[in-house]
Amino acid sequence: MDVDEAQIDEGLYSRQLYVLGHEAMKRMAASDVLIVGMKGLGVEIAKNIVLAGVKSVTIYDPDLVEVQDLGTQFFLREGDVGRQRGEATVTRLAELNAYVPVKNLPGGIGQPISLDLVKGFQVIVLTDVPLAKQMEINDWTHEHDIPFIAADTRGLFGTVFNDFGAKFTCVDPTGEQPLTGMIVSVSQDEIGLVTCLDETRHGLEDGDFVTFTEVKGMDELNGCQPRKVSVKGPYTFTIGDTTGLGNYISGGIFTQVKMPKLVAFKSLRESLKSPEFFITDYAKFDRPPTLHAGFQALATFKGQYGRFPRPRNDADAVEIISLAKNVASDEVDEKVLRELAFQASGDISPMVAVIGGFVAQEVLKACSAKFHPMVQYLYFDSLESLPATCPTIEEAAPRGSRYDGQIAVFGQSFQEKIQNHRQFLVGSGAIGCEMLKNWSMMGLATGPQGAIYVTDLDTIEKSNLNRQFLFRPKDLGRFKAETAAGAVVEMNPTLKGKIQTRQEPVGPDTENIFGQDFFDGLDGVTNALDNVKARVYMDQRCVFFRKPLLESGTLGTKGNVQVVIPHLTESYASSQDPPEKEAPSCTIKNFPNAIQHTIQWAREYFENLFIKPPQTVNQYLSEPNYLETTLRYAGNHTEQLRSIVLYLVTHKPLTFEECIVWARFQFEENYNNTIQQLLYSLPKDAVTSSGQPFWSGPKRAPDALTFDSNNPIHLDFIIAAANLHAFNYGLRGETNPAVFKKVADAVTVSPFTPKSNIKVQISDSEAPPENPSDNEDPDALIKLLPLPSSLAGYRLTPVEFEKDDDTNFHIDFITAASNLRALNYNITTADRHTTKQIAGKIIPAIATTTALVTGLVCLELYKVIDQKNKLEDYKNGFINLALPFFGFSEPIAAQKNKYGTTEWTLWDRFEFRNDPPLREICDWFQQEHNLEVTMVSQGVSMLWSSFIGKKKSEERLPMKMSKLVEFVSKKPLPTDARHLLVEVMVSDEDGEDVEVPFIVVRL
């Protein structure tokens, strides 16, 4: 495909670029996509594709808007009823992304899509199209190898069919970063056994391909054609015959090579007879054949009667079962078919979100060849979401309302429960926007008792617009919660006055806002957060107030959903991922071997140049007795004093030219002198105590850099460093490279003389060596400092790191600083885009995953509203759209503990009212449970223990708990405190420690 090298707007697409990459995005930018059908499913697919950034999206739906379309089609308004759907939708769809033209194909009312209309598109998506018409279109697309997708949702059921042609090439089936690792040997024989450094497992699988760099001796492997791997162990694999190659000496890095995969699809006509199913839920492994027959039965029924089966109509259901049996090759599940018939006229927003998110990702795969397409039929259902009491035929009958599609599935009574529900949404970013959209379509909280509370302290930035679809360019700088709420009220005006927004973060500091009264008024909490700390905090609050919590998250094409139900499941904090493995500090400081190490070093260097020293200077200038306090309490006081002298005296610039000179000396110090000193202390021919070369394995011997203003990386460093230094001092910056070249080249640098008494820390287990500069006299440094009173009102401006501003030099500096260090150590450099992700700890994100995960959350929300109380009623989910993969499991039950004969879980607690004295609590445990209290604590304060002595015990035991906490902590309780959380340690009559629940003391 001839790809137009149009510039990709990294500001808008940055988070998605980390999912798809530049090449895939360029291929997408050459793809015209047609989507037929603009009901809920069609618009959900279109929305996600427009946000993703294809060349163009064309929609086709000449039928008229009906009232019940408003229950899932979020770009239609009440005033659009009676207009053609495509025409009514196109303008709002086009607002999502200025780079993607959205067109509406005109057609007469009731005019089906025809072959002449679908020609000229790279991908064709059909929704709500009769099966016979699907086959007609697909016969042509299959013959011409044009990717074709047909999708449909019916109540709590969904289906997708893919046909990307007989010879579709997938260039990257998983999207994972290629594996890489260091090797220590390669055997010279017919199997070619490669042994890796035993620091980390290689992670390869049989059938993977690898190539090599930096191998010494067996040089033929460097840059070789990809060799097929056979795994022999976690640190070994074979690569085939190496007998004709040189003798391996040392070193080498293997890198996995992604090989294109050919995927052969069958046509729809052929697949109907011999389907290949993609399993979405292994607990329902036998369900796809039933649904395959059931959806064909629905198509036949619609063809005969011009309508779908009526909600909860037994006669229609019997006919669907009969029709399904006629086409099924095996036995069918009549209960499932019965529900399919009952729900066939149903249309619910969460199912639309799940299938729409999935289909949109399949469209992107077809455009970009990135990630493995689904082969070939998907059937998905969430029958567990049905209420315990199924609706009657009268309950499910249409009311002429926007919710008729949902009422057909759940009934009017349950619809009223939805409308009177009260939810707290924590966060209104990507997941939060999708959640509010689904809730508005469901009619959540639109009833007399209903309420939605949303809090988010963030404002809208450009990079948000790519996936937080309720925001537009005109909203930049506005608060997210307020803007998102306004957008969904426009989608469903009955939400007006039902959404309360705040800009406060959740945490201990806002418990006066989100306290007992607030939580008492909630039916549940939904997290839409982007960090673990806030998730754990909200989890603790939901456990304390015993509220259901719906937790979810995404990482690129991966997503997860967790349901936390009081007295039933474990909580979010009950199990957590292990912490990320960090590189040892001595590796970062002296022995980097990967670009991640140099980026981390550059990030710390950035802080140590432009953030910490100006902050320290400002403390010296503004805090009385700063020097005395520093000398008394700070462990690194000499370093702090030296920093103040450098930034306030020695290196204080008066002109921008002096900032350039300073930057040039920084280059010399870090990329030449420091490296020369390291090689003086540890020469390239140094050996270890066992006689092995010191610079081997992961330790790469560096080389000093000589400054060259014609080298773009060298000059980039000078430009960024000088501008940031100037920013600290309030001096005006400069961007003209000629200015920097002229000044930097004129700087005279003295030759470096290494010092003989400098020691190098080899590993983190060694104590950091003391070097001569550490013994500077603090008094001598203090004498160099000007008195703060002589600089009254003078302050430096510390930099505040901001990764998404391309004009502030922050990422420019870190990229240049990291790449210079990479050049020192002969590590492959990284571009600005890659450096930004690692230094800024950016989470890759794409709208498709967000939409799907949010749909799954809302399918669980139906169960929360129904107050289901069995573990098997709920489903935790994990998905990876790249593979694709769906995995569902029952939530893990809350762990049971025991004291005496009493079982308890994290949901239990002891409650004491009226602020009792400590003695009363201790006596209660003894009398009621024969347990002796040995220690009592609250937060970080130990209030009492059995070993504190008689006098203190006599003093504290009679105190009321509130007074005791104030007495020990020496701080008054907040005026709005209504309770205290207290932990106790107790022992049984044998003196054995026994674990018991926490205590709530009501004040």
Side-chain angles (χ1 to χ4, degrees):
M1 188 187 291
D2 185 29
V3 175
D4 178 22
E5 291 288 325
Q7 191 67 32
I8 294 169
D9 186 340
E10 291 192 4
L12 176 66
Y13 292 119
S14 73
R15 305 310 188 257
Q16 181 177 289
L17 275 164
Y18 295 121
V19 182
L20 298 173
H22 283 78
E23 289 309 308
M25 289 265 319
K26 284 174 185 170
R27 286 192 288 269
M28 281 161 47
S31 301
D32 298 297
V33 179
L34 172 67
I35 302 166
V36 178
M38 274 296 116
K39 287 189 174 180
L41 180 58
V43 82
E44 180 67 44
I45 297 166
K47 176 258 290 179
N48 294 326
I49 295 169
V50 172
L51 288 172
V54 294
K55 183 179 180 183
S56 77
V57 171
T58 302
I59 62 174
Y60 180 79
D61 191 339
D63 288 345
L64 301 182
V65 176
E66 298 170 356
V67 172
Q68 75 173 49
D69 294 342
L70 304 178
T72 54
Q73 220 282 29
F74 44 83
F75 281 156
L76 294 177
R77 304 291 177 261
E78 288 174 7
D80 294 324
V81 173
R83 293 178 67 197
Q84 288 188 314
R85 263 193 224 105
E87 180 201 339
T89 305
V90 67
T91 306
R92 293 186 186 98
L93 205 48
E95 289 173 357
L96 288 171
N97 190 340
Y99 293 105
V100 180
V102 181
K103 305 162 201 160
N104 176 45
L105 265 185
I109 296 166
Q111 180 188 336
I113 190 72
S114 58
L115 265 181
D116 58 320
L117 292 176
V118 304
K119 292 174 180 175
F121 295 97
Q122 278 70 53
V123 186
I124 291 159
V125 183
L126 305 185
T127 69
D128 201 33
V129 170
L131 183 58
K133 179 58 74 173
Q134 291 178 31
M135 287 193 283
E136 179 194 334
I137 303 286
N138 178 251
D139 288 343
W140 181 83
T141 60
H142 188 78
E143 184 187 341
H144 293 87
D145 284 328
I146 291 170
F148 168 96
I149 302 171
D152 208 357
T153 61
R154 297 282 146 209
L156 288 165
F157 297 88
T159 177
V160 181
F161 171 77
N162 272 1
D163 171 17
F164 291 5
K167 300 182 295 244
F168 180 78
T169 302
C170 171
V171 296
D172 181 358
T174 67
E176 300 295 334
Q177 285 294 319
L179 297 165
T180 184
M182 295 183 177
I183 64 174
V184 292
S185 72
V186 184
S187 67
Q188 194 177 31
D189 52 30
E190 290 177 357
I191 62 166
L193 183 71
V194 178
T195 305
C196 299
L197 197 69
D198 60 5
E199 284 187 352
T200 51
R201 296 164 178 256
H202 55 65
L204 296 166
E205 296 178 1
D206 286 341
D208 284 347
F209 286 79
V210 295
T211 187
F212 297 86
T213 52
E214 301 184 26
V215 178
K216 290 179 185 162
M218 205 176 273
D219 294 43
E220 297 90 339
L221 286 180
N222 293 326
C224 67
Q225 286 297 309
R227 283 181 167 244
K228 196 172 185 179
V229 164
S230 177
V231 173
K232 299 301 174 191
Y235 305 101
T236 54
F237 58 89
T238 58
I239 55 169
D241 194 350
T242 54
T243 50
L245 310 183
N247 289 322
Y248 176 85
I249 297 172
S250 67
I253 294 170
F254 80 82
T255 302
Q256 181 188 16
V257 179
K258 295 291 185 81
M259 303 298 281
K261 181 181 177 183
L262 208 62
V263 186
F265 288 86
K266 294 182 289 193
S267 71
L268 175 57
R269 205 173 287 279
E270 195 181 342
S271 294
L272 282 169
K273 295 174 195 156
S274 54
E276 190 169 347
F277 296 125
F278 166 70
I279 305 298
T280 56
D281 187 345
Y282 286 89
K284 304 173 183 176
F285 193 84
D286 55 352
R287 198 164 286 182
T290 292
L291 292 176
H292 188 62
F295 271 91
Q296 288 179 71
L298 287 180
T300 306
F301 187 99
K302 176 87 185 293
Q304 285 177 8
Y305 298 104
R307 62 170 176 83
F308 284 108
R310 290 160 293 187
R312 299 280 146 191
N313 185 287
D314 285 324
D316 287 356
V318 167
E319 187 157 354
I320 288 293
I321 293 167
S322 171
L323 288 168
K325 285 179 175 177
N326 290 341
V327 294
S329 51
D330 297 309
E331 268 191 53
V332 292
D333 185 330
E334 292 193 17
K335 283 184 182 174
V336 171
L337 289 174
R338 188 176 173 79
E339 275 303 331
L340 178 61
F342 284 168
Q343 298 180 33
S345 60
D347 190 19
I348 61 168
S349 184
M351 186 57 68
V352 160
V354 170
I355 301 299
F358 184 86
V359 170
Q361 189 66 58
E362 295 301 303
V363 172
L364 301 185
K365 292 174 187 180
C367 297
S368 68
K370 176 96 176 212
F371 309 140
H372 199 292
M374 184 272 294
V375 182
Q376 199 166 346
Y377 255 115
L378 170 149
Y379 289 103
F380 178 77
D381 75 83
S382 183
L383 285 181
E384 312 78 28
S385 298
L386 279 173
T389 307
C390 281
T392 62
I393 191 166
E394 294 78 21
E395 276 268 292
R399 263 70 177 165
S401 88
R402 67 187 296 143
Y403 306 119
D404 277 0
Q406 190 163 254
I407 289 169
V409 179
F410 295 98
Q412 178 61 28
S413 298
F414 194 77
Q415 179 64 37
E416 287 167 12
K417 284 187 182 178
I418 293 170
Q419 290 177 230
N420 287 307
H421 192 72
R422 303 171 70 85
Q423 268 286 326
F424 180 28
L425 179 64
V426 191
S428 56
I431 288 176
C433 281
E434 291 287 339
M435 204 71 71
L436 285 169
K437 174 260 288 178
N438 288 344
W439 291 359
S440 74
M441 295 293 98
M442 292 162 64
L444 189 90
T446 55
Q449 278 83 50
I452 293 172
Y453 303 92
V454 191
T455 192
D456 195 317
L457 77 161
D458 282 348
T459 54
I460 298 161
E461 299 172 359
K462 185 180 179 183
S463 66
N464 301 150
L465 303 179
N466 172 236
R467 64 203 182 285
Q468 300 177 21
F469 91 106
L470 297 179
F471 308 142
R472 301 289 177 270
K474 65 180 171 57
D475 299 321
L476 293 178
R478 292 183 61 197
F479 282 111
K480 286 185 176 180
E482 182 187 306
T483 309
V488 295
V489 167
E490 196 182 313
M491 290 176 178
N492 185 349
T494 53
L495 270 173
K496 191 166 187 181
K498 294 293 183 179
I499 306 179
Q500 293 185 35
T501 63
R502 303 197 75 104
Q503 281 74 51
E504 285 84 11
V506 289
D509 295 342
T510 55
E511 287 181 6
N512 60 323
I513 299 166
F514 308 116
Q516 181 82 50
D517 291 342
F518 177 77
F519 275 88
D520 284 349
L522 297 177
D523 295 317
V525 176
T526 302
N527 274 353
L529 291 160
D530 61 359
N531 67 90
V532 171
K533 185 180 175 185
R535 285 182 166 110
V536 169
Y537 173 78
M538 281 312 299
D539 180 64
Q540 291 168 348
R541 298 295 274 173
C542 287
V543 169
F544 179 75
F545 291 112
R546 291 173 170 146
K547 296 295 177 184
L549 171 66
L550 295 170
E551 166 59 51
S552 61
T554 70
L555 177 67
T557 58
K558 302 182 183 95
N560 71 285
V561 176
Q562 183 180 356
V563 191
V564 178
I565 304 294
H567 305 293
L568 199 62
T569 72
E570 68 173 15
S571 76
Y572 171 78
S574 300
S575 54
Q576 284 189 40
D577 294 332
E580 284 184 35
K581 191 177 178 185
E582 291 186 356
S585 60
C586 64
T587 300
I588 302 300
K589 188 175 180 184
N590 295 314
F591 310 116
N593 57 59
I595 195 67
Q596 289 84 351
H597 299 157
T598 68
I599 291 172
Q600 186 177 333
W601 178 89
R603 182 74 176 82
E604 292 170 7
Y605 183 28
F606 176 89
E607 293 233 344
N608 293 330
L609 284 184
F610 310 116
I611 299 177
K612 289 178 181 174
Q615 287 173 343
T616 306
V617 166
N618 289 348
Q619 285 177 302
Y620 167 71
L621 294 174
S622 61
E623 293 177 14
N625 306 318
Y626 174 78
L627 290 179
E628 291 83 345
T629 310
T630 301
L631 290 171
R632 190 177 306 161
Y633 298 114
N636 58 346
H637 55 264
T638 308
E639 193 179 314
Q640 290 197 24
L641 289 171
R642 192 186 310 124
S643 176
I644 298 169
V645 170
L646 287 173
Y647 276 71
L648 212 47
V649 183
T650 322
H651 292 160
K652 182 184 174 187
L654 297 175
T655 64
F656 185 73
E657 191 173 297
E658 288 176 44
C659 295
I660 301 175
V661 173
W662 173 86
R664 173 66 185 87
F665 281 120
Q666 283 294 324
F667 179 99
E668 201 66 22
E669 175 61 31
N670 285 281
Y671 304 109
N672 186 300
N673 301 356
T674 302
I675 301 299
Q676 284 195 55
Q677 181 63 59
L678 181 62
L679 289 172
Y680 181 83
S681 303
L682 292 165
K684 288 195 176 187
D685 57 0
V687 293
T688 64
S689 55
S690 60
Q692 296 297 312
F694 176 83
W695 295 105
S696 62
K699 291 187 173 68
R700 304 166 73 90
D703 293 294
L705 298 182
T706 303
F707 179 73
D708 175 7
S709 64
N710 292 314
N711 184 312
I713 301 177
H714 294 209
L715 194 63
D716 285 348
F717 175 84
I718 302 294
I719 292 171
N723 274 288
L724 288 167
H725 196 55
F727 177 87
N728 284 154
Y729 291 91
L731 297 173
R732 188 176 172 185
E734 175 62 75
T735 54
N736 182 0
V739 174
F740 294 89
K741 273 189 174 191
K742 182 182 175 186
V743 176
D745 285 340
V747 174
T748 305
V749 177
S750 306
F752 177 70
T753 306
K755 296 172 184 161
S756 57
N757 53 354
I758 298 288
K759 292 176 183 172
V760 178
Q761 185 182 4
I762 306 297
S763 76
D764 280 11
S765 56
E766 295 179 6
E770 279 195 21
N771 287 312
S773 60
D774 296 337
N775 300 321
E776 267 184 277
D777 179 12
D779 292 333
L781 289 169
I782 289 169
K783 284 177 185 172
L784 297 172
L785 288 174
L787 291 171
S789 56
S790 68
L791 292 166
Y794 180 77
R795 299 287 184 275
L796 299 191
T797 308
V799 166
E800 290 182 25
F801 178 63
E802 173 47 64
K803 57 188 177 288
D804 286 320
D805 180 353
D806 291 342
T807 64
N808 63 12
F809 296 102
H810 298 186
I811 296 298
D812 297 319
F813 174 84
I814 293 168
T815 303
S818 165
N819 284 340
L820 288 172
R821 190 158 173 82
L823 293 173
N824 280 140
Y825 285 87
N826 194 25
I827 296 166
T828 305
T829 57
D831 61 18
R832 188 183 190 281
H833 180 69
T834 304
T835 305
K836 176 177 169 177
Q837 183 188 7
I838 297 169
K841 297 181 177 175
I842 291 173
I843 305 294
I846 189 166
T848 50
T849 316
T850 308
L852 195 155
V853 163
T854 311
L856 292 177
V857 171
C858 292
L859 289 172
E860 296 305 306
L861 177 59
Y862 285 129
K863 304 171 186 179
V864 170
I865 294 170
D866 196 39
Q867 298 182 334
K868 293 185 185 296
N869 56 10
K870 294 193 187 76
L871 211 56
E872 59 267 25
D873 290 334
Y874 294 94
K875 282 188 182 287
N876 287 349
F878 173 78
I879 56 113
N880 185 343
L881 291 181
L883 302 177
F885 172 80
F886 281 63
F888 294 99
S889 62
E890 284 179 13
I892 297 171
Q895 184 182 334
K896 289 183 177 174
N897 304 293
K898 208 169 188 179
Y899 60 89
T901 58
T902 306
E903 280 191 340
W904 64 278
T905 71
L906 68 124
W907 297 100
D908 295 303
R909 72 284 312 267
F910 299 112
E911 288 211 22
F912 292 88
R913 300 198 171 274
N914 303 319
D915 193 13
L918 174 58
R919 188 190 305 278
E920 190 178 306
I921 293 174
C922 295
D923 291 347
W924 183 85
F925 273 97
Q926 189 70 59
Q927 292 159 13
E928 295 293 321
H929 298 288
N930 202 19
L931 294 171
E932 184 185 350
V933 176
T934 56
M935 187 181 291
V936 182
S937 60
Q938 193 269 334
V940 295
S941 301
M942 190 187 78
L943 304 179
W944 177 86
S945 76
S946 54
F947 53 77
I948 63 168
K950 188 178 177 185
K951 187 181 175 189
K952 280 187 177 177
S953 272
E954 286 175 350
E955 184 180 25
R956 295 184 183 185
L957 282 167
M959 282 187 180
K960 282 185 173 287
M961 290 299 293
S962 59
K963 297 300 174 205
L964 179 56
V965 168
E966 291 181 330
F967 175 75
V968 174
S969 67
K970 297 183 171 55
K971 286 190 298 189
L973 288 173
T975 52
D976 57 351
R978 307 254 300 267
H979 62 261
L980 297 170
L981 284 185
V982 178
E983 303 276 350
V984 291
M985 288 180 66
V986 299
S987 58
D988 60 19
E989 52 200 352
D990 299 324
E992 295 290 326
D993 287 341
V994 178
E995 205 172 337
V996 294
F998 62 89
I999 293 173
V1000 180
V1001 176
R1002 301 286 176 188
L1003 303 180

